[in-house]
Amino acid sequence: ELDEVLSATIDIALASPDADWATDCLIRLARHADTDVRGNVMIGFAHLAGRFGELSEEKVAPVLQAGLRDPKSHVREQAEAALDELGERLGWSLAEDETSI
């Protein structure tokens, strides 16, 4: 059910006790067919960084870069917001031409 996937995406970002597991789950969900799921994934990375104070730039940056090129504006906007937050929280500075998934 789509509603369950949407809810699970947020639950993973806001409640998972394991940052690595949550990151891997969100990365897998980043390719979901539904726009809202992909958007939730993008902002979910920012939530994880806020909760844990760190995030694997090597794993997550390519996913967010791909989000910036998503055909749906909602996903692009969420990826941009997440990158802005990761820049503030973790000091990330990513160029748009970096590797994508």
Side-chain angles (χ1 to χ4, degrees), residues 10-44:
I10 297 300
D11 290 345
I12 289 166
L14 295 177
S16 173
D18 185 329
D20 292 330
W21 177 86
T23 299
D24 291 343
C25 285
L26 291 178
I27 290 169
R28 286 192 302 272
L29 287 166
R31 292 187 177 99
H32 196 278
D34 185 76
T35 300
D36 291 329
V37 171
R38 294 193 314 277
N40 284 357
V41 165
M42 298 300 137
I43 205 65

Side-chain angles (χ1 to χ4, degrees), residues 46-90:
H47 294 314
L48 283 178
R51 290 182 53 230
F52 292 99
E54 62 183 9
L55 199 59
S56 171
E57 187 172 356
E58 181 180 336
K59 288 181 174 183
V60 174
V63 178
L64 289 169
Q65 292 296 329
L68 290 174
R69 293 183 296 280
D70 194 276
K72 300 294 186 174
S73 63
H74 173 67
V75 179
R76 294 190 307 267
E77 291 165 3
Q78 294 294 75
E80 186 174 332
L83 284 166
D84 288 346
E85 191 161 333
L86 291 168
E88 290 177 25
R89 289 180 186 266
L90 304 179

